[in-house]
């Protein structure tokens, strides 16, 4: 029997990503020496910089910066005023949709920086920056980070599929307004709320809820996870949030149902099962109580056919 060829042998070698490969090389280089984790990480970083980083390209940034600044000053080319960005994120943090719309409509003599070589890629990159700033503004205002990041993920994925500049602009501006609306709803339901002063037990409670929306959530489960007695947690939550934890969980689930109805073709029964409702009819009753519409009516009215994702299994 002939020995295996080099190509045959190569196919048997397991493939791993670079970070794992670098860790293996670092372990081989250091052997059994008594090395701290900081030294290990520093050695691994040096390995990457000396073998994988294009230092010439990195060093060229300084020279390009000096050249471009000189040319822009000569040609009187300036970027958008920073105050415009501040007014934009402040409007979102305040939940002031009228102010946000006013800022978006402002005209100024500056321009956006060059972020790409093509107009479409340029607008997508501007959209990513805009949504990133908007999501952080909404989080600072009290919107839970899981919801903020979820909205950001959907918007950015939708922009990446676009083939025209106008649709990209529409998506990131609509997302900005959606963040602003969410903040406005939060402020109207919890006047005087200051996210920086939120009770740490309530913060941990919300973290648990938003990372377990795909299943059944009980007060007892949340209380056990964060190490509090269930009745005490229920009382604390109602005192801090102005609503019961059960209502808060239902509201969070209904918001996710809305997104699944708008941006996917997932059947109603699968949505109810995925989000831990006892039945499809239970989900429909709660949904109608919150929105005044059945899930079918809501989907028919608001579904975004141009940006529909696959179902939950897709």
């Amino acid at each position: 029997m002939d020995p295996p060829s080099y190509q045959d042998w190569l196919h048997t070698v397991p493939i791993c990503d670079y970070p794992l490969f670098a860790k293996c090389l670092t372990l081989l280089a250091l052997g059994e020496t008594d090395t701290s984790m900081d030294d290990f990480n520093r050695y691994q970083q040096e390995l990457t910089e000396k073998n994988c980083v294009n230092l010439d390209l990195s060093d060229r940034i300084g020279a390009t910066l000096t050249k471009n600044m000189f040319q822009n000053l000569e040609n009187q080319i300036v970027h958008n005023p920073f105050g415009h960005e501040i007014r934009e994120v402040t409007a979102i943090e305040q939940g002031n949709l009228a102010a946000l719309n006013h800022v978006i409509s402002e005209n100024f003599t500056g321009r956006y920086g060059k972020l790409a070589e093509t107009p479409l890629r340029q607008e997508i990159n501007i959209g990513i920056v805009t949504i990133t700033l908007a999501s952080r503004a909404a989080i600072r205002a009290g919107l839970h980070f899981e919801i903020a990041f979820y909205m950001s993920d959907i918007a950015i994925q939708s922009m990446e599929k676009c083939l025209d500049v106008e649709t990209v602009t529409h998506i990131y501006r609509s997302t900005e307004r959606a963040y602003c609306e969410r903040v406005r709803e939060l402020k109207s339901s919890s006047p005087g709320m200051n996210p920086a002063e939120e009770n740490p037990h309530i913060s941990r409670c919300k973290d648990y809820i938003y990372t377990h929306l795909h299943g059944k959530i009980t007060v007892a489960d949340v209380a056990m996870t964060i190490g509090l007695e269930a009745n005490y947690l229920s009382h604390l939550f109602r005192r801090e949030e102005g609503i019961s934890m059960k209502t808060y969980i239902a509201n969070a689930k209904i918001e996710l149902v809305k997104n699944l109805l708008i941006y996917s073709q997932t059947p109603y029964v699968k949505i109810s099962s995925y989000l831990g409702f006892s039945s499809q009819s239970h989900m429909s009753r709660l949904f109608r109580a919150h929105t005044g519409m059945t899930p079918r009516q809501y989907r028919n009215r608001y579904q975004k056919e141009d940006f529909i994702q696959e179902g939950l299994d897709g």
Side-chain angles (χ1 to χ4, degrees):
M1 184 175 180
D2 294 332
S5 66
Y6 172 75
Q7 289 297 330
D8 291 336
W9 172 81
L10 194 60
H11 285 304
T12 67
V13 177
I15 298 175
C16 67
D17 58 17
Y18 174 76
L20 178 58
F21 181 66
K23 285 182 180 179
C24 292
L25 288 180
T26 304
L27 286 171
L28 287 172
L30 296 177
E32 297 182 359
T33 58
D34 186 15
T35 306
S36 68
M37 184 57 68
D38 287 341
D39 289 339
F40 181 90
N41 291 334
R42 185 162 47 251
Y43 187 94
Q44 185 176 330
Q45 183 178 352
E46 291 176 359
L47 176 71
T48 300
E49 290 177 352
K50 291 180 179 179
N51 293 278
C52 303
V53 177
N54 187 335
L55 295 177
D56 290 338
L57 183 59
S58 178
D59 293 339
R60 209 174 300 151
I61 292 176
T64 304
L65 173 64
T66 303
K67 178 182 176 182
N68 286 354
M69 286 184 66
F70 177 78
Q71 290 177 341
N72 288 345
L73 290 173
E74 285 284 304
N75 297 319
Q76 295 185 328
I77 297 174
V78 296
H79 287 79
N80 294 347
F82 181 60
H84 178 267
E85 177 183 307
I86 294 298
R87 290 192 296 276
E88 200 165 346
V89 297
T90 299
I92 294 172
E93 285 189 53
Q94 294 175 345
N96 190 335
L97 188 58
L100 177 62
N101 286 330
H102 177 74
V103 174
I104 290 174
S105 66
E106 286 180 357
N107 292 317
F108 35 77
T109 57
R111 63 173 179 82
Y112 291 111
K114 184 177 181 181
L115 304 181
E117 296 298 328
T118 67
L120 178 59
R121 188 66 246 177
Q122 167 84 0
E123 195 68 10
I124 291 173
N125 288 347
I126 289 173
I128 292 173
V129 173
T130 300
I131 289 171
T132 300
L133 291 172
S135 65
R136 273 53 180 183
I139 291 170
R140 288 194 298 272
L143 184 64
H144 194 274
F145 66 88
E146 284 290 348
I147 294 296
F149 292 158
Y150 177 79
M151 293 170 65
S152 172
D153 292 346
I154 287 179
I156 291 174
Q157 290 173 30
S158 297
M159 289 192 301
E160 292 288 355
K161 296 178 181 179
C162 289
L163 300 177
D164 62 277
V165 169
E166 290 74 16
T167 305
V168 173
T169 306
H170 173 74
I171 290 173
Y172 71 73
R173 290 305 187 196
S174 297
T175 305
E176 275 192 291
R177 293 183 176 100
Y179 279 124
C180 195
E181 285 285 356
R182 287 295 187 95
V183 172
R184 183 189 63 77
E185 292 171 1
L186 279 173
K187 289 184 177 297
S188 63
S189 62
S190 303
M193 175 188 64
N194 185 348
E197 298 176 358
E198 184 174 69
N199 186 294
H201 294 311
I202 301 301
S203 296
R204 292 181 62 200
C205 182
K206 290 179 180 178
D207 290 345
Y208 181 93
I209 290 170
Y210 281 106
T211 54
H212 291 80
L213 287 177
H214 58 281
K216 184 177 180 180
I217 305 173
T218 66
V219 176
D221 289 337
V222 181
M224 182 175 65
T225 300
I226 66 177
L228 294 177
E229 195 272 327
N231 288 334
Y232 172 75
L233 178 60
S234 293
H235 174 76
L236 178 66
F237 195 95
R238 182 181 287 276
R239 187 188 72 192
E240 296 288 327
E241 296 296 313
I243 58 174
S244 69
M245 191 188 304
K246 183 178 179 180
T247 300
Y248 186 91
I249 293 169
N251 291 345
K253 284 181 179 285
I254 292 302
E255 289 301 319
L256 191 50
V257 172
K258 289 180 183 178
N259 282 324
L260 290 171
L261 292 174
I262 294 174
Y263 294 105
S264 82
Q265 296 173 315
T266 307
Y268 308 111
V269 65
K270 184 169 286 189
I271 293 176
S272 65
S273 174
Y274 175 75
L275 293 178
F277 291 100
S278 58
S279 65
Q280 181 182 335
S281 60
H282 176 220
M283 180 188 77
S284 296
R285 286 196 305 274
L286 280 177
F287 192 86
R288 187 162 193 166
H290 279 73
T291 66
M293 289 180 279
T294 67
R296 185 181 301 277
Q297 290 170 332
Y298 190 89
R299 172 172 275 172
N300 290 340
R301 178 176 296 186
Y302 295 112
Q303 189 167 67
K304 309 294 186 182
E305 294 183 359
D306 292 340
F307 307 117
I308 289 178
Q309 308 289 320
E310 297 295 327
L312 292 172
D313 297 329

